[in-house]
Amino acid sequence: EVQLVESGGGLVQAGGSLRLSCVYSGFAFDDGYAIGWFRQAPGKEREGVACINPHDGTTYVADSVKDRFTISSVNAKNTVYLQMDGLKPEDTADYYCAAGLGVTAVAMGVIGDYGMDHWGKGTLVTVNS
């Protein structure tokens, strides 16, 4: 059974940093999954933030955050990280980790969450001004 567990959310002042973690189980890093971070703010649609293919390191980061957010993976720990720097109040949202077999990271910019079949429960990020 595929499971994803997010952690690292919290309350931070504008300009601050947080690192979100997504620990996955039920598949290995080289099984061909993409693991992505999505966020959803109250009253807004879910938005793809970043994605990675752990087996080859290919990444995608949305234009809206690419100068501030970085996605990475530590395969030995079955963990994907989202480093968020220079946080802004508009980054406030629930952040979700998702996994999809056969999805390529760079496709997130075109297909969004299509193919992401497994989801974590989310972690809340709140940025105060």
Side-chain angles (χ1 to χ4, degrees):
E1 179 187 6
V2 174
Q3 291 188 326
L4 304 121
V5 179
E6 305 96 333
S7 63
L11 176 64
V12 64
Q13 295 296 113
S17 298
L18 284 174
R19 188 178 76 163
L20 305 183
S21 299
C22 172
V23 178
Y24 59 90
S25 60
F27 62 92
F29 79 93
D30 56 354
D31 281 344
Y33 279 79
I35 299 172
W37 285 98
F38 297 80
R39 66 184 182 184
Q40 188 165 22
K44 294 189 176 181
E45 292 188 355
R46 186 162 61 196
E47 172 189 16
V49 177
C51 194
I52 189 168
N53 289 114
H55 64 276
D56 65 6
T58 304
T59 62
Y60 165 84
V61 181
D63 287 343
S64 58
V65 299
K66 70 187 313 177
D67 57 341
R68 300 183 294 120
F69 290 10
T70 304
I71 188 169
S72 62
S73 65
V74 177
N75 295 337
K77 295 185 176 182
N78 283 8
T79 302
V80 170
Y81 299 100
L82 183 68
Q83 178 67 42
M84 306 186 295
D85 300 316
L87 283 162
K88 304 175 181 180
E90 51 263 44
D91 294 318
T92 295
D94 286 304
Y95 283 72
Y96 299 90
C97 177
L101 180 61
V103 176
T104 57
V106 295
M108 176 186 270
V110 178
I111 63 174
D113 63 4
Y114 182 81
M116 292 298 194
D117 296 324
H118 309 281
W119 291 80
K121 295 183 178 181
T123 185
L124 178 63
V125 171
T126 304
V127 185
N128 280 346
S129 58

